[in-house]
Amino acid sequence: MWVNNPWFVVLGESAAERAKELGYDAHIFDSQNDPAKEAEHFDNIIAMGYNAILFNPTDADGSVLNVKRAKKAGIPTFCMDREINSRDAATTQLLSDNFTGCVKLGQYFVKLLNKTGNYVEILGLVGDNNTWNRSNGFHSVVDEFPELKMLAQQSADFDRNKAMDVMETMMQANPDIDAVFCGNDAMAMGAYQAVLAAGKADRIKVFGFDGARDAVQGIADGKIAATVMQFPVEMSRISADLADRYLKGERGFTNRTPYEVILVTPENVSKYLPEN
Amino acid sequence: MIMKRLIKLVLIVLSVLAIIFFSLKIENLEEYKTANTKVTFNATEYAEKFWKEKVPSIKNKAIETSELIPLLVNNPKEAFENHSRVLGISKTHYFITKGSGKITSIEDEYFVVKINENQTVKIATDFIFGNAVRDGSGEISINEFLNMTDFNNVSVAINKLVKKNVVRKLQTTAEQGKTIDFVGATEIYEENIDTENIRIIPVIANLGNGEKN
């Protein structure tokens, strides 16, 4: 996992909390999005003989071997949120349905822009399947409307500060941007800061993904156009429950279970504000 | 002297062997093959096979739209349990439904079809997106796929076939007053059941001359 990002803190801590409620000792290993650190953690986990791994992979391809090594050592792995490209390495994978969420977001985007305009896209980590599931879901809709033109596409690694810099550069190169689609809410908030500083908050619509508290509040305040709400607490707690069921003898899990995500817009934001 | 040369030779050989050994990375062959074998999945081919083999008989799985609507109003639990499919952990239910009626208006994104005195539905002709056909059909399992990308690309490819094989023809031949027989997929979110706006993505549609109703 990656504890620099609050979203992953919630994911990891909720999983650990649920595991403790179920009577297990739980330890959080932070790979900081670094596959090398992740491999070291798996070495330690295997050497120390943990019973199960609730896992947020750093790389869809690169993490497969780590999961296979754990499997070979008799330790089942349950992927949470991010997936690995394997049918059978993990015991199961509980994943936000990112693609479908961005299909919904894309349709809202098209309607809000009346099927015409210029936009830019800020991607997350390029080695992460979620980055591409979000981007591809969005483009599976938006690319069907030829009068919507993407002027630039660049990664900001899911990082708020990087997104602010990227957005500043994009606005300097493209003065006629109508909207920006960001692969997560941290980047959406960074992009919004850049848009605000450039005095273009009334023109450029900012779209995010995650359902982070500040982005949801931003929708209510008219700063953010829309986001897609994920449910990290529920997802991580269910993953811990699945591991518990496995350790108690249950088998036959499906290799993947998508977890539905919800489009949040000004029309329904009141339901998702923290006080509600 | 000979001894010294022999020791020198042995040291050189050992050094060369050490360099070769530490230059090599030894991996399990099966693991290497798995990690490096990237089979490119062709979603278009998969969707075309689905269309050819599964769509012609999809009608057999469909609930009559005129039955579905009152069931959603009066007993949604039964509608969801007996007639819908859900992907993973979700409150969105996908139905395959069939019916017939008269086209009462043609809008930018759909036709309004009156299926009886009290009920109308929208037959979608634009915004053909999402997973209603893939998941409503019950014919495509997520377990078949290496990752979510491949699985989702199947939905994209199926939706393109809907546009190519069904919607384009409808758009050029449909007229207000004509009758239409349809089989299609619809999605209902269980926390917002809106039976006044049932939107159906058609997978089979045949137009008549308007004599019905």
Side-chain angles (χ1 to χ4, degrees):
Chain A
M1 62 169 284
W2 185 25
V3 298
N4 284 344
N5 182 322
W7 199 92
F8 293 102
V9 175
V10 171
L11 190 79
E13 289 183 350
S14 302
E17 185 182 292
R18 180 61 183 153
K20 285 173 186 166
E21 285 170 14
L22 292 164
Y24 299 95
D25 287 330
H27 184 86
I28 296 175
F29 294 85
D30 178 11
S31 297
Q32 297 168 355
N33 257 333
D34 180 349
K37 282 197 174 74
E38 180 185 287
E40 283 174 27
H41 289 324
F42 268 78
D43 289 340
N44 293 331
I45 288 165
I46 292 167
M48 292 164 80
Y50 280 85
N51 296 112
I53 303 168
L54 305 177
F55 181 43
N56 182 248
T58 58
D59 187 284
D61 288 317
S63 297
V64 174
L65 278 180
N66 289 330
V67 177
K68 285 191 170 178
R69 285 195 297 126
K71 187 178 182 180
K72 200 172 172 184
I75 305 173
T77 300
F78 299 79
C79 292
M80 304 183 293
D81 176 51
R82 288 176 172 177
E83 76 177 327
I84 54 169
N85 290 328
S86 170
R87 290 183 181 85
D88 56 3
T91 304
T92 188
Q93 305 193 54
L94 187 57
L95 311 163
S96 282
D97 196 351
N98 290 279
F99 184 96
T100 305
C102 284
V103 168
K104 292 177 188 174
L105 186 83
Q107 292 182 74
Y108 186 76
F109 180 97
V110 170
K111 288 184 176 173
L112 204 61
L113 270 71
N114 292 320
K115 303 181 185 176
T116 182
N118 299 318
Y119 70 96
V120 293
E121 179 180 6
I122 303 181
L123 296 162
L125 288 161
V126 293
D128 179 6
N129 277 15
N130 283 351
T131 294
W132 296 111
N133 279 326
R134 291 172 196 177
S135 181
N136 292 340
F138 176 78
H139 283 286
S140 76
V141 176
V142 176
D143 292 359
E144 296 288 311
F145 298 88
E147 289 180 28
L148 283 167
K149 292 189 175 60
M150 185 168 75
L151 303 179
Q153 182 189 49
Q154 197 175 327
S155 169
D157 295 339
F158 289 134
D159 184 273
R160 182 177 181 141
N161 292 332
K162 281 186 190 171
M164 192 167 74
D165 294 342
V166 166
M167 190 66 197
E168 277 170 5
T169 307
M170 284 174 160
M171 285 189 294
Q172 283 162 10
N174 306 283
D176 52 350
I177 297 170
D178 299 304
V180 53
F181 167 55
C182 303
N184 77 348
D185 281 342
M187 296 194 296
M189 295 310 294
Y192 176 75
Q193 274 182 281
V195 167
L196 186 66
K200 293 187 171 183
D202 289 338
R203 172 172 178 177
I204 300 179
K205 295 176 175 64
V206 181
F207 296 78
F209 191 102
D210 272 348
R213 184 175 288 205
D214 50 358
V216 172
Q217 188 60 52
I219 293 170
D221 296 341
K223 298 173 180 172
I224 304 292
T227 186
V228 177
M229 173 77 74
Q230 298 193 82
F231 300 93
V233 175
E234 291 80 354
M235 223 168 16
S236 54
R237 290 179 68 84
I238 292 170
S239 293
D241 287 342
L242 292 172
D244 179 52
R245 281 160 51 187
Y246 181 90
L247 293 172
K248 287 175 176 163
E250 189 173 326
R251 296 293 184 270
F253 297 101
T254 56
N255 68 23
R256 277 176 182 75
T257 302
Y259 199 108
E260 185 173 42
V261 293
I262 306 289
L263 176 67
V264 182
T265 68
E267 289 78 34
N268 68 350
V269 69
S270 59
K271 194 175 168 186
Y272 299 100
L273 286 168
E275 60 266 31
N276 296 327
Chain B
M1 192 68 179
I2 294 173
M3 196 61 185
K4 270 188 179 178
R5 278 188 182 171
L6 194 62
I7 290 168
K8 199 175 172 185
L9 190 65
V10 167
L11 284 172
I12 290 169
V13 169
L14 283 175
S15 302
V16 170
L17 286 175
I19 288 166
I20 292 170
F21 178 79
F22 288 112
S23 302
L24 293 175
K25 184 184 174 191
I26 298 168
E27 287 184 60
N28 179 297
L29 184 59
E30 284 308 306
E31 288 181 356
Y32 178 84
K33 279 181 182 170
T34 307
N36 291 280
T37 305
K38 285 218 167 185
V39 179
T40 307
F41 172 71
N42 189 325
T44 304
E45 274 179 17
Y46 187 99
E48 281 169 351
K49 189 165 183 275
F50 163 81
W51 196 271
K52 191 176 164 191
E53 294 178 2
K54 305 296 181 186
V55 167
S57 60
I58 206 167
K59 194 174 184 177
N60 302 333
K61 296 185 169 188
I63 177 172
E64 285 286 346
T65 312
S66 57
E67 291 174 26
L68 176 61
I69 292 174
L71 196 58
L72 285 168
V73 172
N74 301 318
N75 194 347
K77 191 168 177 242
E78 189 192 324
F80 294 143
E81 283 179 2
N82 296 335
H83 300 287
S84 80
R85 291 183 178 81
V86 171
L87 176 66
I89 299 170
S90 169
K91 291 178 180 172
T92 298
H93 296 257
Y94 299 106
F95 295 85
I96 297 295
T97 185
K98 63 185 175 186
S100 58
K102 185 176 279 187
I103 298 171
T104 58
S105 74
I106 295 178
E107 308 294 335
D108 285 347
E109 294 168 11
Y110 54 84
F111 302 159
V112 178
V113 174
K114 187 174 182 181
I115 57 170
N116 59 37
E117 279 309 305
N118 305 314
Q119 297 165 339
T120 60
V121 294
K122 293 173 178 172
I123 302 296
T125 55
D126 199 358
F127 284 86
I128 310 287
F129 302 112
N131 307 320
V133 178
R134 182 195 69 187
D135 295 337
S137 75
E139 297 288 351
I140 300 174
S141 166
I142 193 171
N143 287 337
E144 292 177 50
F145 299 90
L146 182 65
N147 54 38
M148 293 293 287
T149 304
D150 290 350
F151 186 50
N152 288 320
N153 283 339
V154 168
S155 269
V156 175
I158 289 173
N159 291 334
K160 283 185 177 168
L161 289 177
V162 168
K163 288 179 209 166
K164 181 182 155 198
N165 296 344
V166 185
V167 169
R168 274 187 205 158
K169 189 179 166 194
L170 274 182
Q171 283 176 317
T172 54
T173 54
E175 291 171 17
Q176 190 175 332
K178 277 193 173 180
T179 54
I180 180 170
D181 293 326
F182 61 84
V183 183
T186 189
E187 63 178 75
I188 304 287
Y189 189 60
E190 67 182 43
E191 288 185 356
N192 181 26
I193 301 170
D194 180 5
T195 54
E196 300 294 313
N197 288 291
I198 299 282
R199 182 178 177 275
I200 297 167
I201 293 178
V203 291
I204 299 171
N206 295 304
L207 292 168
N209 58 14
E211 287 173 1
K212 189 175 176 181
N213 291 335

